[in-house]
Amino acid sequence: MNATVVIATYNERENLAGLVSAILEHPSYSVIVVDDDSPDGTGALADSLAASRGNRVSVVHRKGARGLGRSLVAGLQHALGTGADLIFQMDADFSHDPRYLPDMAAAAADADVVLGSRYLRGISVVNWPLHRIALSAFANRYIRFITGLSAHDCTSGFRVWRREALAKMPLDHAKAGGYAFLTEMLYAAAHGGCRIGEVPIVFVERAEGYSKVSGHVLVESLLMPWQLVMRGGRVKRSTV
Ligand SMILES: Nc1nc2c(ncn2[C@@H]2O[C@H](COP(=O)(O)OP(=O)(O)OP(=O)(O)O)[C@@H](O)[C@H]2O)c(=O)[nH]1
Ligand SMILES: [Mg+2]
């Protein structure tokens, strides 16, 4: 199985090279970096990684309005244009440990999309202050309650898609520019009849760089579940 890993970056200079090396230790994996014209030069660093790693690293450079959702759309579409059977998405800051890639790939044998979940066995988050854990746990309950989704970690950005499932997702019509894209796509997957799997991960807060979560993207995330159910109704069937 060929796998490719989409990584959206904004100012991840300290993290990117190490992360790409760790991913490429897995044979038959490749990486697609989607950089939003990072002021810290992450885009140029990604280009140099691509030059030194041959065809195992490619880079999508975005300009204009930045956003995690917009970048993931560009990266996932790019990934569909490659021959990859499995398409991962993960954060650049080592919160998502590449050691879980094989577990998640194995789980994708019986699922169309697999989430790396922080909340499958209690709460497995390292180095988050209590208010951050509370916010994330609340966000998940809120999303599940409103949308009817049954996954434990609807907002996880660590995912793997089977190629044929991702190809059916409405990437061109995504409304969310930011983190709410994650909920939007999971909802689309559940509505589209995808089998949604979850694998437990330990999520570790970033050691380098800084968070890009802003008030604007938080508001977008709060509104998204309501917009989804108003457009498409609640998810009726539990797919996990
Ligand atoms: N291309 C792109 N990537 C982004 C943007 N905002 C965030 N990212 C990336 O999305 C991933 C998650 O962002 P983080 O800032 O780590 O968000 P978070 O994990 O919720 O916050 P922390 O726990 O503080 O790290 C990282 O790889 C970021 O570099 C953006 O506007 N454009
Ligand atoms: Mg992070």
Side-chain angles (χ1 to χ4, degrees):
M1 280 247 169
N2 286 327
T4 196
V5 182
V6 175
I7 308 171
T9 57
Y10 189 73
N11 289 349
E12 298 288 359
R13 209 186 151 68
E14 302 91 339
N15 293 311
L16 187 65
L19 182 66
V20 168
S21 295
I23 294 169
L24 295 186
E25 278 174 24
H26 299 272
S28 71
Y29 277 65
S30 62
V31 173
I32 299 167
V33 179
V34 189
D35 186 67
D36 254 339
D37 206 14
S38 296
D40 76 346
T42 302
L45 172 64
D47 284 338
S48 72
L49 294 172
S52 64
R53 298 292 195 153
N55 56 9
R56 291 187 76 192
V57 177
S58 48
V59 189
V60 177
H61 293 281
R62 294 190 69 255
K63 300 254 184 227
R66 75 170 178 92
L68 176 62
R70 293 182 184 96
S71 298
L72 286 173
V73 167
L76 294 170
Q77 284 176 331
H78 185 92
L80 284 169
T82 70
D85 307 302
L86 293 177
I87 297 165
F88 283 85
Q89 55 186 87
M90 70 192 288
D91 290 354
D93 57 3
F94 281 102
S95 288
H96 300 147
D97 192 325
R99 77 185 153 106
Y100 296 116
L101 293 170
D103 284 357
M104 292 172 67
D110 302 312
D112 298 304
V113 56
V114 176
L115 310 174
S117 176
R118 296 163 286 190
Y119 305 117
L120 209 51
R121 296 188 186 149
I123 298 175
S124 49
V125 172
V126 175
N127 281 351
W128 260 6
L130 198 56
H131 75 269
R132 190 82 200 265
I133 296 179
L135 179 67
S136 174
F138 167 77
N140 266 288
R141 277 165 201 259
Y142 175 83
I143 291 164
R144 288 163 53 134
F145 179 71
I146 296 167
T147 61
L149 281 165
S150 52
H152 294 81
D153 197 348
C154 298
T155 57
S156 174
F158 199 5
R159 299 179 175 181
V160 58
W161 298 83
R162 292 176 72 88
R163 167 199 187 74
E164 44 310 347
L166 182 62
K168 290 187 204 137
M169 289 300 108
L171 294 172
D172 275 335
H173 305 288
K175 297 273 187 294
Y179 295 72
F181 171 76
L182 299 167
T183 306
E184 191 179 5
M185 278 306 112
L186 194 63
Y187 175 89
H191 255 302
C194 286
R195 298 163 299 162
I196 300 170
E198 283 186 279
V199 163
I201 63 156
V202 177
F203 177 101
V204 182
E205 174 59 332
R206 64 163 72 240
E208 303 290 343
Y210 67 97
S211 176
K212 287 93 198 180
V213 179
S214 65
H216 170 77
V217 297
L218 278 182
V219 170
E220 186 184 52
S221 299
L222 274 176
L223 297 179
M224 179 55 68
W226 296 106
Q227 290 164 347
L228 291 170
V229 294
M230 280 193 280
R231 281 204 304 269
R234 276 170 58 84
V235 173
K236 293 194 186 62
R237 196 163 48 89
S238 170
T239 49
V240 179

